[in-house]
Amino acid sequence: MTQNPVQSEPVERAPAEAPARDAAPPPRPRTRRSEEVYWTLRREITAGVLRPNAALVEDEIAARLGVSRTPVRESMQRLEADGLIDSHRRRWIVHEHTQDEIVQLYEVRCGLESHAARLAGRRATPEQLKVIEGWRPRMTAHDPAVLNDRARNNDSFHDAINAASGNPRLLAAIQANRLFHFNTRLAALYSPDELARSSRQHDELITAVCARDAERAATTAREHVEFSLELILRKLF
């Protein structure tokens, strides 16, 4: 006699738990937090938000940026290596650049930006040339009313040319040797003649790069950086 096979009862499975909608996102890696803090503080220093000789308190910065003290401490060490802050009596302060240091930085920028302009004249893509040409109205005006806006845009304009060199390492080196806050401080001190001269240099630089006149672009970029240094030394020291 054939027996019917015993059928096992279906096993009830617990329904899968739906993910909590308000679950906190996974914590960001410490290295990423440290990078964010470093670049935030670096921008604040170079833009003049954190002024020379200003005290930098780790606890206050950590609370303001919503991080622990560890990424702040790591960022401070990097900023010290960059020459942007100093350790003084067990506290951090924003470095105040001497006249000699400013000269050295601008001498480095002079060589780097001149070469970047030369390479941009040779390598810039049609799209990059269109972007560079698009800066002309904003960067060549002689009206003093545009000075503050131009100071804010100055580094983006020059980065467009430097990036057209096709050399990311060169662009990074230029940015590392830049002191943004001098642009803002100088903006209020330009005479009409100085503004006109700066505008002519911008105009010539754009024209040279877009015409692929590499050597003229290099010469104009060098003259422009030298002119900026001349103004800084004459007006701020």
Side-chain angles (χ1 to χ4, degrees), residues 16-87:
E17 294 185 3
R21 292 184 180 179
D22 57 349
R28 293 172 294 176
R30 192 177 76 181
T31 54
R32 181 181 169 191
R33 290 199 300 270
S34 179
E35 282 291 311
E36 291 173 351
V37 172
Y38 166 76
W39 283 108
T40 297
L41 294 176
R42 183 182 174 88
R43 282 191 294 268
E44 290 177 349
I45 293 169
T46 55
V49 176
L50 297 173
R51 303 293 296 164
N53 297 311
L56 303 174
V57 182
E58 291 184 7
D59 287 339
E60 293 177 358
I61 292 172
R64 175 165 67 89
L65 300 182
V67 298
S68 69
R69 287 186 60 183
T70 299
V72 175
R73 190 178 303 113
E74 292 171 348
S75 299
M76 295 297 193
Q77 292 168 351
R78 291 179 64 183
L79 292 168
E80 182 184 29
D82 291 344
L84 291 175
I85 67 174
D86 300 313
S87 178

Side-chain angles (χ1 to χ4, degrees), residues 20 25 32 37-38 45 53 119 150 163 171 177 194 203 205 221:
R32 181 181 169 191
V37 172
Y38 166 76
I45 293 169
N53 297 311
L119 293 179
R150 195 156 100 179
L171 174 62
N177 282 279
E194 289 162 348
D203 192 52
L205 181 57

